[in-house]
Amino acid sequence: MDIGIIGAGLIGGTLARALAGTGNSVRIAHSSDPDTLTDFDDDSRIRPMWASSAAKDVDLVVLTIPMKSVDRLSPNLLKTLGSVPIVIDTCNYYPVRDGRIDALDTGTADSEWVTFRLGRPVYKVFNNISAPSLKYKGSADPASRVGLAVAGAESEDKKIVFDLVDLLGFDPVDGGTLDQSWRQQPGTPTYCRDLNAVELRDGLAATLPSRIPDYLKARDSLTDMDAAVARTRSRM
């Protein structure tokens, strides 16, 4: 597959190497000149470029940026994303980092908000795993696999996303439609837990709408350090 990654942080950079390592053609971009993406100089399979070029004429785009940056995407990039067959959103809302976003503070699922901002549907995945776990815990052994939740519309595209998760050595777990993706967000019980598929499936089912205020409160209590640890911690 030809894959574009918008965002070169912990998750974006890790995904770029993992996807290139499984035979995909990978482009990557961030908010600055692509020449500054020197971390990938050692891998000719990963091509840094400007965001609008990274998203042009590809099979799939992974959007992995701070939530506060979604509204800063250029009109040209938004237009390009509108024609991409599949867009994956890994974004998580941390008020301490992103500032307050009213819709997300009142319970709108993170990726529903992203869909509205982009003007196109997305699939929510790779947001409930830490970067070290994403880097080191992919496995060909079914007995040792970590589960990853995938939320979004039921379609052939969702099957493609499932296959991509499987290719990286993780078990895809159906997280339902996008309006149910709040179950895999920061503050919920399954977030960054490195659960197997059965544990994750049961955990998502036990994440109840009646407790959304508690999950939001847990998310809002994260400090800058907590938010960083939540994305980098691992049970290795």
Side-chain angles (χ1 to χ4, degrees):
M1 294 179 71
D2 289 321
I3 298 175
I5 299 177
I6 311 301
L10 290 170
I11 295 296
T14 301
L15 275 174
R17 291 190 181 278
L19 290 167
T22 52
N24 295 286
S25 175
V26 177
R27 311 173 188 180
I28 191 166
H30 64 168
S31 58
S32 301
D33 192 304
D35 288 342
T36 63
L37 285 173
T38 56
D39 288 350
F40 305 103
D41 286 350
D42 64 335
D43 196 332
S44 61
R45 301 168 301 179
I46 303 171
R47 295 175 292 160
M49 56 186 67
W50 291 105
S52 56
S53 297
K56 186 177 181 181
D57 298 326
V58 294
D59 302 302
L60 182 150
V61 163
V62 180
L63 185 67
T64 178
I65 61 178
M67 193 68 73
K68 64 183 178 181
S69 299
V70 172
D71 274 342
R72 301 174 189 171
L73 297 176
S74 71
N76 188 34
L77 176 57
L78 291 174
K79 182 179 180 181
T80 302
L81 287 174
S83 63
V84 174
I86 302 172
V87 175
I88 287 174
D89 167 40
T90 80
C91 303
N92 285 319
Y93 173 48
Y94 298 109
V96 68
R97 178 196 64 189
D98 299 312
R100 288 290 177 183
I101 300 174
D102 289 344
L104 301 181
D105 286 336
T106 54
T108 299
D110 293 356
S111 287
E112 280 195 296
W113 184 83
V114 170
T115 283
F116 176 75
R117 297 322 235 190
L118 298 186
R120 57 148 303 131
V122 300
Y123 286 93
K124 185 74 163 189
V125 64
F126 302 119
N127 78 298
N128 70 320
I129 189 170
S130 67
S133 294
L134 182 61
K135 183 175 182 179
Y136 295 113
K137 291 197 173 181
S139 175
D141 179 8
S144 62
R145 283 191 160 194
V146 171
L148 292 185
V150 180
E154 298 299 328
S155 68
E156 290 299 317
D157 289 342
K158 195 171 191 178
K159 294 178 182 178
I160 292 172
V161 176
F162 267 50
D163 289 344
L164 190 67
V165 172
D166 177 72
L167 182 66
L168 294 178
F170 298 91
D171 272 344
V173 173
D174 196 339
T177 52
L178 204 60
D179 63 347
Q180 297 173 304
S181 62
W182 56 269
R183 288 187 167 90
Q184 63 196 69
Q185 293 177 180
T188 57
T190 61
Y191 180 68
C192 285
R193 288 282 310 284
D194 292 348
L195 306 173
N196 64 37
V198 173
E199 292 169 332
L200 178 56
R201 191 174 294 111
D202 290 346
L204 291 173
T207 304
L208 304 175
S210 62
R211 295 201 59 199
I212 287 177
D214 296 327
Y215 306 141
L216 296 181
K217 185 176 180 180
R219 177 204 66 192
D220 290 355
S221 69
L222 294 172
T223 65
D224 281 320
M225 183 58 69
D226 292 330
V229 169
R231 289 296 270 170
T232 59
R233 73 185 184 198
S234 172
R235 299 195 305 189
M236 291 192 300

